[in-house]
Amino acid sequence: MSWNPTDYQFAWNVVWQYRFWLLEGTLLTLKIAAVSMTLAMIFALPLALLRMSRLRFLSGVAMIYIAVLRAIPLLVFILWMYFGVTLVTGLQVDAFGAGVICLTLQYSAWLAEIYRAGLQAIDKGQREAALSTGLSQSRAFAKVIWPQAWRIIIPPLASNFIGIIKDSSLVGVIGLNELMRQAQIADSLSFRPFELFTAAMVIYIVLALIISPLASLVERRAARSLSVQTRRATRTRRSLGAAA
Amino acid sequence: MDGSFTSVSADTQAGAGPLLELKEAHKSFGHVDVIKGVSLTVRKGEHVVIFGPSGGGKSTLLRMMNLLETPDSGTLTFEGKQYFPRMDSVLNRHRVLQQLRSQIGMVFQRFNLYPHLDALHNVTLSLTDVKRMSRKAARLKAEASLAEVGLKDRMDHYPSQLSGGQQQRVAIARALAMDPKVMLFDEPTSALDPELIGEVLGDGICPAGRRPAGVRVRRSHCRVGRQRDPFHPWGGPDQGLLGSSALERTLVRFPS
């Protein structure tokens, strides 16, 4: 098939024709992104704490882990995790598991640095005030430091969630039919790459646009106590028993 | 800061043993020796004020009394029990530290209120968490404590919605609600306008009936040359230390 731009006629009806393929891909994309992000958010916390440890050995190990995992190209990482592990060990790896592991490991390294920035932004006096009244280190963290750091962390977390949605397109190479790969397969059947990839792009954009206001909502909720204007709302919410 | 400061014995109740006792405490940060062998006792009902220029080690000394700052050497005894140094396991050490700190209230120079909690919950946090009070009991206690400092109608305000003086009073209420045996004030009025100082230090904040012993840090105004004072009789062989740089060693104590 030769490429002649003057002849090309857009046929957007293929998007409608393959709508269920794209929808299926979108759902898998969301699933991979949500699972990886959740795991990365959990895994990043101990990693950030290790990184901030006063023990040089621990912080050194965490620093190296973060540096290496951030540096690995995700596509190669995914290929190694899926095919490489099978080549070396002979074990069959689950594609979904391999994809999620790669995304989780890489994003946990990024998120750990975000957590660290958030935690270090909290005044030392907060911890001291909590300790001075007899709170344990862990309770001071859970009740005083983390709730404040969380607020700072939310916006960059949202950016990373959008990032992980888009990066999840790379797991198509190991046969996971996420959005991008579904568009590719549909293209291979219909020879309509522009229409299908444009549709995939629109879906990615829509997903990202949905996340932004959700993140702002979470952020506003977390920050309500700092704002004078929300006092009334807070009072109402407390009377409903929602405030801590 | 160095030297040994014995108590004003004449005005304290006979037989009252020292509540808090720091002996031969040393502390250095890097190459700077901040605390050079300070000994200090606080008895029940006493009110001790530490003066000195900034950078002199006043806050460090104060923070040693609840072990927010760990001395390099020396001992800290509270109610006859030695809290530093201790030969505890790591887990136990934290528990013992918590036990000490829950009995010593501290008010910080910059308030250090929790910005994500309203005034009431700033006070209740340690009540429920450390004293294991029920939510309801903690709430009642915190309300009483805040009422005591005149903030009954500000309980649902967040620190950012309170004036400096009000914030400081919340900080005092937070410390007092724990029923501490000693209160530590680190320059409690330095962050306030002069007009607000009365608001914080005025009567009614800490009724005499339940007044704990207090240690207060204040930045001194020029006091060079005033080495002796009827209120602070320096005792023991360290008397001679009050030489060239008397400022750093000037520790004033007076019975309340």
Side-chain angles (χ1 to χ4, degrees):
Chain A
M1 197 180 158
S2 70
W3 167 245
N4 188 346
T6 53
D7 289 349
Y8 197 85
Q9 295 288 318
F10 284 102
W12 293 103
N13 61 325
V14 290
V15 175
W16 183 249
Q17 198 182 325
Y18 288 97
R19 63 191 183 279
F20 291 117
W21 291 48
L22 296 174
L23 180 68
E24 223 173 283
T26 306
L27 292 179
L28 186 61
T29 287
L30 275 178
K31 190 173 156 195
I32 293 167
V35 172
S36 308
M37 187 69 185
T38 308
L39 292 176
M41 278 170 66
I42 295 166
F43 192 40
L45 185 56
L47 197 55
L49 295 178
L50 277 183
R51 176 73 181 81
M52 296 194 301
S53 170
R54 263 176 305 177
L55 300 173
R56 260 206 200 152
F57 174 73
L58 293 181
S59 69
V61 167
M63 198 174 81
I64 291 168
Y65 175 92
I66 290 168
V68 169
L69 273 148
R70 282 195 305 188
I72 295 178
L74 191 54
L75 186 62
V76 181
F77 194 19
I78 291 168
L79 288 171
W80 262 103
M81 188 61 73
Y82 186 63
F83 299 112
V85 168
T86 309
L87 279 176
V88 175
T89 65
L91 293 169
Q92 187 61 48
V93 188
D94 173 57
F96 183 81
V100 164
I101 287 172
C102 291
L103 286 168
T104 299
L105 291 183
Q106 182 150 80
Y107 273 82
S108 65
W110 278 324
L111 298 191
E113 288 293 275
I114 292 172
Y115 284 13
R116 185 165 71 98
L119 291 170
Q120 285 177 343
I122 306 305
D123 189 90
K124 239 176 50 193
Q126 291 292 311
R127 188 169 153 275
E128 286 180 351
L131 293 183
S132 79
T133 57
L135 252 66
S136 66
Q137 302 266 5
S138 56
R139 295 301 287 169
F141 182 82
K143 287 296 204 176
V144 175
I145 298 164
W146 179 252
Q148 296 181 53
W150 172 238
R151 249 181 227 164
I152 303 172
I153 290 168
I154 293 167
L157 275 189
S159 298
N160 273 272
F161 190 36
I162 292 169
I164 213 168
I165 286 177
K166 290 191 284 185
D167 277 354
S168 73
S169 65
L170 294 174
V171 301
V173 295
I174 54 173
L176 283 172
N177 294 334
E178 44 68 53
L179 178 56
M180 199 61 193
R181 187 168 153 83
Q182 289 288 79
Q184 273 168 1
I185 298 170
D187 162 50
S188 69
L189 296 173
S190 65
F191 305 108
R192 285 289 172 189
F194 279 105
E195 291 82 346
L196 291 162
F197 289 135
T198 305
M201 177 188 79
V202 170
I203 293 172
Y204 279 119
I205 290 173
V206 168
L207 291 181
L209 290 181
I210 291 170
I211 286 165
S212 309
L214 280 182
S216 321
L217 192 78
V218 176
E219 194 189 341
R220 266 204 305 279
R221 264 186 62 99
R224 65 182 180 228
S225 48
L226 286 183
S227 144
V228 180
Q229 292 96 304
T230 55
R231 202 164 82 209
R232 233 161 234 287
T234 313
R235 214 177 268 164
T236 319
R237 225 172 273 134
R238 187 176 314 113
S239 67
L240 295 171
Chain B
M1 184 184 286
D2 52 13
S4 169
F5 311 105
T6 53
S7 174
V8 186
S9 48
D11 291 75
T12 46
Q13 306 95 308
L19 199 55
L20 188 71
E21 197 166 17
L22 196 64
K23 270 190 197 153
E24 275 300 308
H26 283 263
K27 178 79 183 178
S28 53
F29 296 107
H31 297 295
V32 186
D33 295 330
V34 181
I35 306 287
K36 291 168 277 188
V38 172
S39 298
L40 157 77
T41 54
V42 181
R43 288 183 169 78
K44 196 166 182 243
E46 257 185 340
H47 192 167
V48 182
V49 183
I50 304 168
F51 288 93
S54 53
K58 307 180 299 295
S59 291
T60 307
L61 183 63
L62 195 74
R63 289 154 56 87
M64 271 184 187
M65 294 180 199
N66 63 358
L67 293 176
L68 272 183
E69 212 72 75
T70 312
D72 295 335
S73 66
T75 61
L76 179 80
T77 316
F78 181 70
E79 289 196 309
K81 184 174 173 183
Q82 186 166 312
Y83 283 90
F84 185 89
R86 286 186 68 92
M87 298 294 179
D88 290 313
S89 64
V90 176
L91 269 179
N92 212 8
R93 186 161 64 222
H94 283 108
R95 194 153 306 150
V96 169
L97 264 180
Q98 280 173 255
Q99 192 196 358
L100 171 73
R101 287 169 180 160
S102 66
Q103 299 178 74
I104 298 179
M106 185 159 190
V107 178
F108 294 84
Q109 190 171 359
R110 289 183 301 126
F111 321 139
N112 294 357
L113 292 181
Y114 312 132
H116 61 301
L117 300 175
D118 61 21
L120 184 74
H121 288 89
N122 260 277
V123 182
T124 56
L125 179 61
S126 319
L127 296 177
T128 52
D129 233 274
V130 180
K131 294 225 157 185
R132 306 241 166 256
M133 290 168 80
S134 70
R135 272 173 187 277
K136 200 169 264 176
R139 195 191 172 92
L140 287 175
K141 176 98 183 165
E143 281 173 359
S145 193
L146 283 165
E148 227 168 354
V149 296
L151 290 174
K152 206 177 169 59
D153 55 342
R154 292 284 186 277
M155 291 191 294
D156 59 349
H157 284 49
Y158 287 90
S160 58
Q161 299 163 348
L162 297 169
S163 73
Q166 289 169 336
Q167 287 185 35
Q168 192 66 305
R169 282 188 281 158
V170 174
I172 292 169
R174 177 171 72 181
L176 280 178
M178 294 290 287
D179 292 325
K181 290 170 179 150
V182 176
M183 282 285 280
L184 308 172
F185 292 93
D186 191 357
E187 300 208 35
T189 55
S190 69
L192 302 177
D193 294 334
E195 307 90 82
L196 285 172
I197 291 175
E199 184 189 332
V200 170
L201 296 183
D203 296 331
I205 279 179
C206 190
R210 52 185 295 237
R211 183 175 289 171
V215 184
R216 187 137 53 102
V217 161
R218 298 193 79 170
R219 207 169 29 241
S220 82
H221 309 290
C222 191
R223 281 174 182 270
V224 187
R226 191 174 164 208
Q227 293 175 13
R228 296 293 182 90
D229 186 291
F231 282 126
H232 46 106
W234 314 100
D238 288 330
Q239 211 162 350
L241 283 173
L242 287 169
S244 52
S245 57
L247 259 180
E248 275 118 276
R249 303 186 190 99
T250 311
L251 178 127
V252 184
R253 60 163 66 242
F254 53 88
S256 61

